[in-house]
Amino acid sequence: MNLRKATVAAAAALVLSVTAAGCGSDGGSSSGGGTAGASGTGGKITVGIKFDQPGIGLKTPDGTYTGLDVDVATYVAKQLGYSPQNIEFKEAKSADRETMLQRGDVDFIAASYSITPTRSEKVDFAGPYLLAHQDVLIRADDDSIKTPADLNTKKLCSVTGSTSAQNVKTKIAPNAQLQEYGGYSECLTGLENKVVDALTTDDSILAGYAAQPAFQGKFKLGGFKMSNENYGIGVQKGSELKAQINTALEKMVADGSWEAAVKKNLGPAGYQNEPAPKIGVVVS
């Protein structure tokens, strides 16, 4: 749905709500200032995802979307009453996610979005739907980084707005030379060209990159579980969508769709995923 179109849409929604009140309704969901109707009404739902994370959220050259977050978002949207053709995907960069939700640019965000206390002050989270761990990606021929402490004095790349680099700086390797780029693809190019020594983010994201045909054999995972990253689906503060999305995620796990999506998107990289997390329980 497009929450920014007011006036005419709001008036139409008012008429529909009055009619529904008189004859019954099969249920809509509130998202910010809008109303999510059932599929077939012509409504759209707008979902924030990453566009540059293979295996997680990727916009391909032909304009299609692939990845675990895409599959999770598509499943959730279907449970909310929206068919795939009624989903509008919008790029949600790490630094922009809270702002996008607060402005109502999107209805929910599934974009490798780790649940943290700071973020939870600004937005609400459904989930978590995946437990990942922070790791590093290094060049395959680099034997100088064998432990997290070896990152000290190294040039460490991460994405602006991500918690990963700061975790390393404050908790693990305070002398690492932090370099923040706008996207993981830029970090990957810098790693390949030896501009940086390591790329840090979640192991699920790194595995997706390492598995790409163009990069196979060039990089390796450090194998460090430096943090727990609970992936959640972000919604506006106070939105009724949180409870509805949680119900959808519970169903996705129960019917096997969650396991199938994880194996399809991350299995080719040899990624050993944790069991499905319990919805509503954040692992510290």
Side-chain angles (χ1 to χ4, degrees):
M1 88 194 78
N2 189 330
L3 302 182
R4 295 170 296 172
K5 294 181 180 178
T7 351
V8 175
L14 178 60
V15 172
L16 288 173
S17 65
V18 171
T19 303
C23 61
S25 172
D26 59 359
S29 60
S30 175
S31 173
T35 302
S39 59
T41 64
K44 295 281 186 180
I45 189 165
T46 306
V47 180
I49 61 169
K50 291 294 179 66
F51 278 13
D52 65 343
Q53 292 180 354
I56 300 294
L58 180 70
K59 183 177 182 180
T60 64
D62 65 1
T64 59
Y65 302 94
T66 66
L68 175 63
D69 285 350
V70 175
D71 289 348
V72 169
T74 301
Y75 186 99
V76 167
K78 182 178 180 180
Q79 298 304 307
L80 295 176
Y82 297 90
S83 57
Q85 59 266 32
N86 285 332
I87 302 172
E88 177 187 353
F89 287 114
K90 185 173 290 189
E91 184 173 20
K93 294 184 177 181
S94 295
D96 300 334
R97 290 175 296 199
E98 286 85 56
T99 302
M100 291 177 71
L101 287 168
Q102 290 171 333
R103 287 194 310 228
D105 295 343
V106 292
D107 297 303
F108 67 81
I109 289 179
S112 55
Y113 202 3
S114 296
I115 302 172
T116 69
T118 299
R119 291 170 177 166
S120 296
E121 292 176 358
K122 300 176 182 178
V123 301
D124 282 343
F125 285 99
Y129 62 90
L130 183 73
L131 177 60
H133 303 284
Q134 186 178 346
D135 201 352
V136 295
L137 192 69
I138 56 181
R139 289 182 291 276
D141 59 356
D142 187 352
D143 295 323
S144 66
I145 302 175
K146 297 180 179 180
T147 69
D150 292 332
L151 295 169
N152 276 306
T153 74
K154 297 291 186 179
K155 294 179 181 177
L156 179 67
C157 188
S158 193
V159 170
T160 303
S162 169
T163 59
S164 298
Q166 290 304 323
N167 283 343
V168 173
K169 285 286 290 182
T170 59
K171 301 177 183 178
I172 300 165
N175 294 323
Q177 300 174 39
L178 177 60
Q179 298 188 22
E180 294 181 288
Y181 290 173
Y184 291 110
S185 296
E186 299 170 54
C187 282
L188 200 67
T189 299
L191 181 60
E192 185 176 18
N193 296 332
K194 299 186 178 181
V195 177
V196 296
D197 301 306
L199 161 59
T200 185
T201 187
D202 306 340
D203 52 8
S204 56
I205 298 171
L206 296 175
Y209 280 120
Q212 296 304 294
F215 299 129
Q216 286 183 0
K218 294 183 178 181
F219 307 115
K220 61 184 178 182
L221 287 165
F224 314 144
K225 291 186 176 182
M226 298 185 287
S227 70
N228 291 325
E229 303 297 333
N230 298 266
Y231 286 6
I233 293 181
V235 299
Q236 271 192 356
K237 201 74 175 171
S239 173
E240 295 177 9
L241 278 180
K242 176 180 176 179
Q244 296 171 17
I245 292 173
N246 276 337
T247 298
L249 291 174
E250 289 170 348
K251 182 177 180 180
M252 188 177 189
V253 172
D255 68 16
S257 298
W258 180 88
E259 186 72 23
V262 172
K263 295 303 182 187
K264 181 186 80 172
N265 291 292
L266 302 179
Y271 179 72
Q272 300 298 314
N273 65 279
E274 300 277 5
K278 184 176 180 180
I279 306 304
V281 178
V282 175
V283 179
S284 60

